[in-house]
């Protein structure tokens, strides 16, 4: 191959690799924008736009650092402190420490290669030497394979991220989620929270609490909520509300005068971490 043809080929490969690096940076920015979303529904679009703007100013090295930081494994999803509107927390990561260690090593090398290509290649390339051009040409091909490999892997990561978002979206649209949401909202009702507290603090030795006694305390300490329940067309009684929360179990026992009184207690599998 003539030297002029070899120079043209090297220049073509330099341009090719620079474009591939830019494509890879774009993929990283997409992942970092969408792999973790946290906020109220009304805020989500602003949150995404802010993240896009912030990430757009970062170098490839900074992007790689964030991408390979596996801090999410030991972090729990945050719950909102208020309940004015729905709050969404979505996080996606690969639960494999070795994956992030290997990826960090591979991408760190890629960042070094990118910096050499952009800032230092001309110091090594002698356009008057066939040997120099051939050596750089081979290095650019090896570099191309490395970039393409990471682009392919990142696209797979993005596909998995998209699949996760799709699964979440389908679940949120499902009847199962709607029913679960109703249950969770009911569990945050002040009457239900107080019933939970009463059951924990005033239960008899056998674990049961008199529903009549609990009702008295509700009327005393939550009069507005109690009155709202009394006028409600959705819940016919306190027991009806309690049944819908799926937190309590009930029993009945005879009184000395031959009547019946209702008892309640928390289910052992009710998962009362919220309380």
């Amino acid at each position: 191959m003539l030297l002029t043809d070899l120079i043209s080929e090297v220049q073509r490969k330099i341009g090719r690799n620079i474009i591939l690096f830019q494509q890879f940076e774009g993929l990283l920015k997409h992942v970092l924008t969408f792999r973790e979303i946290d906020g109220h529904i009304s805020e989500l679009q602003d949150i995404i736009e802010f993240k896009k703007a912030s990430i757009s100013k970062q170098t490839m090295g900074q992007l790689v650092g964030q991408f390979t930081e596996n801090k999410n494994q030991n972090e729990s999803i945050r719950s909102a402190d208020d309940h004015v509107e729905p709050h969404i927390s979505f996080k996606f990561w690969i639960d494999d420490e070795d994956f992030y260690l290997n990826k960090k090593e591979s991408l760190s090398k890629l960042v070094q290669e990118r910096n050499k290509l952009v800032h230092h290649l001309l110091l090594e390339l002698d356009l008057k030497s066939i040997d120099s051009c051939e050596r750089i040409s081979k290095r650019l091909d090896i570099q191309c394979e490395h970039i393409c490999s990471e682009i392919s892997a990142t696209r797979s990561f993005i596909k998995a991220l998209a699949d996760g978002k799709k699964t979440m979206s389908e679940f949120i649209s499902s009847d199962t989620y709607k029913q679960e949401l109703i249950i969770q909202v009911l569990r945050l009702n002040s009457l239900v929270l107080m019933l939970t507290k009463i059951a924990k603090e005033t239960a008899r030795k056998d674990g049961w609490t008199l529903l009549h006694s609990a009702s008295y305390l509700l009327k005393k300490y939550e009069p507005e909520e109690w009155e709202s329940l009394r006028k409600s067309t959705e819940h016919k009684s306190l027991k009806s509300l309690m049944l819908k929360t799926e937190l309590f179990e009930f029993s009945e026992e005879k009184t000395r005068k031959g009547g019946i009184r209702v008892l309640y207690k928390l289910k052992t599998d009710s998962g009362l971490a919220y309380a």
Side-chain angles (χ1 to χ4, degrees), residues 68-81:
T68 56
E69 185 180 13
N70 190 24
K71 65 179 181 179
N72 291 318
Q73 282 191 9
N74 298 318
E75 289 185 355
S76 59
I77 292 178
R78 182 178 69 86
S79 297
D81 294 329

Side-chain angles (χ1 to χ4, degrees), residues 46-59:
D46 289 339
I47 290 172
I48 290 172
E49 293 302 322
F50 177 81
K51 291 180 71 174
K52 282 182 178 179
S54 176
I55 290 171
S56 68
K57 302 174 183 178
Q58 297 181 5
T59 65

Side-chain angles (χ1 to χ4, degrees), residues 199-200 202-210 263-266:
K200 287 182 175 181
T202 67
R204 302 185 318 197
K205 291 182 178 181
D206 61 3
W208 292 99
T209 300
L210 287 171
L263 309 169
Y264 82 97
K265 66 179 179 179
L266 291 168

